[in-house]
């Protein structure tokens, strides 16, 4: 019987599947919101899949309420994996709409889900929030100004949460992957040396650790998970 719940956004993605499995195997009750337009073949044992548009505050509130709805397994962790990547031209070649889309896709769900979950985490006596930034946030490269800015904003937001909720027993940490070895990234970069990329299975235990009591002294950390890239 699970004694605690974790809400994992983006749990159906390339990294999300490994993270969801890591928590389920550790005995957590796992809640993975997904859009109606992305049906699942059926949740694994111990995984709850409410339907929610994580860009919509009302839908987010309902999903978080469901995640916190089991009195025997209070919500103790939130993992924000939802995001998106786009590359293009340099800043003077990038339309403002593309720049703002990166901010919205990467920052808005993280903000809304964390905002809605914080009262439940505090009510449960504390917990953890884990956010996903990117190596590009601290080491940008040409053509990704929007993405790099958005992921830097995620990092700044996580640090703000860590400071604001420290006294309430809520911790917030961030992982910074390089290129993750997923089928989509392999298809996009067929000529790359995939052996140097970090795999979802390598990142998932780090995320689970940051959400667990084992990392209780740690908050406001930004952990690089670059693999050999």
């Amino acid at each position: 019987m699970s004694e605690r719940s974790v809400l994992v956004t983006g749990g159906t993605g390339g990294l999300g599947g490994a993270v969801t499995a890591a928590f389920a195997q550790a005995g957590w009750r796992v809640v993975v919101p997904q859009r109606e337009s992305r049906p699942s073949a059926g949740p694994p044992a111990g995984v709850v899949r409410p339907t929610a548009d994580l860009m919509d505050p009302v839908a987010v509130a309902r999903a978080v309420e469901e995640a916190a709805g089991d009195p025997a397994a209070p919500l103790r962790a939130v993992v924000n994996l939802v995001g998106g990547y786009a590359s293009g031209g340099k800043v003077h070649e990038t339309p403002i709409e593309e720049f703002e889309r990166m901010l919205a896709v990467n920052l808005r769900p993280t903000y809304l889900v964390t905002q809605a979950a914080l009262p439940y985490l505090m009510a449960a006596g504390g917990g953890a929030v884990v956010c996903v930034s990117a190596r590009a946030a601290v080491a940008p490269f040409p053509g990704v100004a929007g993405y790099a800015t958005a992921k830097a904003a995620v990092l700044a937001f996580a640090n703000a949460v860590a400071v604001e909720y420290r006294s309430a027993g809520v911790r917030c940490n961030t992982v910074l992957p390089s290129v993750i070895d997923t089928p989509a990234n392999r298809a996009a970069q067929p000529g790359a040396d995939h052996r140097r990329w970090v795999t979802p299975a390598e990142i998932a235990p780090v995320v689970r650790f940051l959400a667990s009591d084992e990392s209780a002294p740690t908050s406001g950390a930004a952990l690089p998970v670059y693999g050999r890239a």
Side-chain angles (χ1 to χ4, degrees):
M1 181 71 69
S2 301
E3 296 180 352
R4 53 191 173 175
S5 296
V6 57
L7 175 66
V8 180
T9 73
T12 59
L15 174 59
V19 170
T20 297
F23 279 100
Q25 290 164 8
W28 291 65
R29 173 178 172 263
V30 186
V31 180
V32 178
Q34 62 181 32
R35 293 182 67 95
E36 233 174 339
S37 59
R38 298 184 61 183
S40 171
V47 178
V48 181
R49 295 188 185 272
T51 299
D53 176 359
L54 298 183
M55 302 292 279
D56 176 12
V58 175
V60 167
R62 286 197 299 263
V64 172
E65 184 178 11
E66 183 166 352
D70 185 346
L75 183 65
R76 297 302 301 269
V78 172
V79 178
N80 292 302
L81 301 181
V82 164
Y85 172 82
S87 60
K90 295 182 180 179
V91 170
H92 76 284
E93 300 167 326
T94 302
I96 185 61
E97 293 80 9
E98 292 183 19
F99 184 83
E100 290 179 334
R101 185 175 69 86
M102 283 290 94
L103 287 173
V105 167
N106 287 286
L107 189 58
R108 185 180 174 93
T110 293
Y111 182 87
L112 288 176
V113 171
T114 304
Q115 180 189 50
L118 281 166
Y120 293 103
L121 295 174
M122 289 188 287
V129 178
V130 183
C131 298
V132 175
S133 180
R135 186 178 190 172
V138 295
F141 50 92
V144 294
Y147 176 74
T149 301
K151 288 301 190 181
V154 169
L155 180 57
F157 170 69
N159 289 340
V161 171
V163 170
E164 289 187 358
Y165 294 90
R166 180 185 300 138
S167 62
V170 178
R171 302 177 295 108
C172 190
N173 295 291
T174 312
V175 294
L176 286 73
S178 56
V179 183
I180 303 175
D181 190 0
T182 64
N185 284 338
R186 284 193 174 221
Q189 302 182 51
D193 183 357
H194 304 143
R195 296 170 301 175
R196 298 177 63 86
W197 293 358
V198 63
T199 68
E202 291 173 314
I203 299 174
V206 179
V207 172
R208 189 210 58 79
F209 169 75
L210 290 173
S212 73
D213 294 339
E214 298 167 274
S215 61
T218 304
S219 191
L223 275 66
V225 283
Y226 298 163
R228 294 188 292 127

